[in-house]
Amino acid sequence: MKGGGRLDRSLRSPGSISGLTGSGLLKQADLIRLAASGAVILLREQVAKLKRARADRLDARARNPNRAIAFLERYVPRRLGMALTVTVLGGSAALGIIAGGHVDAAIGALSDARNALANAAGFRISSVTVNGRKQLTQDEVLAVGGVNGRSSLLFLDAAGVRDSLKGDPWIADATVLKLYPGALQIDITERRPFALWQEDGKLSVIADDGVVLEPYVTRRFASLPLVVGKGAETRAKDFLALVAQYPVVNNQLKAAILVGERRWNLRLKDGLDIRLPETDVGRALAALVKYDMEDKLLSRDITAIDMRLPDRMTVRLSEEAAKAREEQFKKSSKKAGSA
């Protein structure tokens, strides 16, 4: 019995194995069919997309035979047209502002708008200190620098303010400090008025480096020395320093006149003209002082002293002195004849 039982299980086992295998095969076949169906569906969808794309291209080509334009219509972003429109309108507005000469006004309006925002945010200039000014007032310094009541410390261009200040002839140098949130400090170095310069009948106040500070319109500069002639403004500093070494001449000086941009003449307060040589001016001035000490030359009734030649000095008498000298010469001649 026991052996028969093992034989029965042995005989049934193949049948059971073969049944399980057949069921698995059926399931695999079903999966394959489903996969094939899905692939077919995906393929149909892809083909449909390609057909639609081709139809769109053909339709676009039919609407516009130009391939380049058709390409742009198909592939250029939709909002690019709006962006281009805005760009064209903005460019037209900018061109109108430039052509109409309103650039400065437009820039000023934009600057005022941003300064107003900065001031509202707490960056208003509430304190201004200007150091080093003597001839200029604080309001004049701020006006030259372009700082006004609408300016904000946040958007103030310190370098630009400094350049504007240095562009004024009175200001030799400047420093601009922004002290947040609302303080501005300006330090300037002013040029000093040195002399009055006359050329072609126009009188100006100049600094010692020859910079024209302003037209002569006020008497507060009346005591400055006067230099005359083209080029005198740049050469006056050295020449007047040389003359100052001879107080006898310098104290009587009314004007220094540059002749032909080569040599100087001196005009004294009593009207006496002294013609100096082109070179070795110091020697000529020393000789002039010596003659004055010995013969009171500068106090005599003469109108001109010519020292242009190194080996001689020529003196021109006034009309009265010349007549008196002539009369004296005649008297002397008569006395000599009678004798």
Side-chain angles (χ1 to χ4, degrees), residues 271-294:
L272 175 62
D273 285 329
I274 302 173
R275 301 171 184 176
L276 296 173
E278 185 174 346
T279 61
D280 206 2
V281 179
R283 181 200 60 80
L285 290 172
L288 184 64
V289 172
K290 178 182 177 182
Y291 292 139
D292 183 66
M293 292 178 61
E294 294 175 351

Side-chain angles (χ1 to χ4, degrees), residues 188-208:
I188 64 174
T189 301
E190 283 190 354
R191 289 186 173 91
R192 292 184 298 174
F194 172 72
L196 299 177
W197 172 48
Q198 179 180 329
E199 184 186 19
D200 298 331
K202 187 171 80 171
L203 199 61
S204 304
V205 181
I206 62 171
D208 59 1

Side-chain angles (χ1 to χ4, degrees), residues 137-176:
T137 65
Q138 179 166 308
D139 289 341
E140 287 174 334
V141 173
L142 294 178
V144 170
V147 181
N148 53 48
R150 300 184 302 274
S151 301
S152 68
L153 196 67
L154 182 62
F155 292 113
L156 185 69
D157 182 4
V161 173
R162 179 177 181 270
D163 291 341
S164 297
L165 290 173
K166 292 183 66 175
D168 187 276
W170 277 105
I171 301 176
D173 199 4
T175 302
V176 180

Side-chain angles (χ1 to χ4, degrees), residues 4-321:
R6 284 198 298 269
L7 180 60
D8 288 340
R9 284 195 296 271
S10 175
L11 291 174
R12 281 196 295 268
S13 60
S16 62
I17 291 173
S18 109
L20 291 173
T21 304
S23 175
L25 291 174
L26 289 175
K27 290 181 180 180
Q28 290 179 1
D30 292 338
L31 291 174
I32 292 173
R33 282 196 297 272
L34 290 173
S37 299
V40 171
I41 293 172
L42 292 175
L43 182 60
R44 288 177 180 175
E45 290 180 354
Q46 189 64 28
V47 171
K49 287 182 180 180
L50 293 174
K51 288 182 178 180
R52 283 196 299 270
R54 178 177 176 79
D56 290 342
R57 288 197 298 270
L58 292 176
D59 185 48
R61 190 177 299 175
R63 291 196 308 269
N64 194 337
N66 190 314
R67 292 189 176 183
I69 296 178
F71 177 83
L72 292 175
E73 289 180 349
R74 178 171 179 80
Y75 292 103
V76 169
R78 295 180 181 179
R79 292 184 176 82
L80 183 60
M82 182 180 296
L84 291 176
T85 301
V86 172
T87 302
V88 171
L89 292 176
S92 300
L95 181 62
I97 290 174
I98 294 173
H102 305 299
V103 176
D104 292 339
I107 294 175
L110 291 175
S111 178
D112 289 344
R114 70 175 187 175
N115 282 329
L117 292 174
N119 289 336
F123 295 100
R124 183 181 300 277
I125 299 176
S126 57
S127 174
V128 177
T129 303
V130 179
N131 300 318
R133 61 180 183 83
K134 295 179 180 178
Q135 302 293 336
L136 300 174
T137 65
Q138 179 166 308
D139 289 341
E140 287 174 334
V141 173
L142 294 178
V144 170
V147 181
N148 53 48
R150 300 184 302 274
S151 301
S152 68
L153 196 67
L154 182 62
F155 292 113
L156 185 69
D157 182 4
V161 173
R162 179 177 181 270
D163 291 341
S164 297
L165 290 173
K166 292 183 66 175
D168 187 276
W170 277 105
I171 301 176
D173 199 4
T175 302
V176 180
L177 297 177
K178 297 165 60 174
L179 307 174
Y180 287 100
L184 179 65
Q185 178 178 322
I186 299 176
D187 300 310
I188 64 174
T189 301
E190 283 190 354
R191 289 186 173 91
R192 292 184 298 174
F194 172 72
L196 299 177
W197 172 48
Q198 179 180 329
E199 184 186 19
D200 298 331
K202 187 171 80 171
L203 199 61
S204 304
V205 181
I206 62 171
D208 59 1
D209 57 358
V211 173
V212 176
L213 300 178
E214 63 178 48
Y216 176 68
V217 294
T218 175
R219 297 192 62 82
R220 62 176 172 154
F221 302 118
S223 61
L224 295 175
L226 174 64
V227 294
V228 182
K230 182 180 180 181
E233 76 280 13
T234 57
R235 298 174 60 178
K237 180 180 179 181
D238 294 337
F239 179 72
L240 292 180
L242 176 62
V243 175
Q245 298 178 22
Y246 304 91
V248 172
V249 179
N250 189 61
N251 292 338
Q252 302 184 53
L253 182 64
K254 180 180 180 180
I257 304 166
L258 185 62
V259 181
E261 299 186 61
R262 296 182 298 103
R263 63 173 194 85
W264 292 90
N265 285 349
L266 299 180
R267 174 73 55 84
L268 302 188
K269 294 177 181 178
D270 60 358
L272 175 62
D273 285 329
I274 302 173
R275 301 171 184 176
L276 296 173
E278 185 174 346
T279 61
D280 206 2
V281 179
R283 181 200 60 80
L285 290 172
L288 184 64
V289 172
K290 178 182 177 182
Y291 292 139
D292 183 66
M293 292 178 61
E294 294 175 351
D295 301 321
K296 302 296 181 183
L297 180 64
L298 300 179
S299 302
R300 293 193 174 189
D301 194 5
I302 56 180
T303 59
I305 300 174
D306 193 341
M307 307 185 72
R308 289 177 292 178
L309 298 178
D311 58 345
R312 72 186 67 180
M313 180 181 68
T314 305
V315 176
R316 179 185 297 172
L317 300 174
S318 66
E319 292 184 5
E320 292 79 7

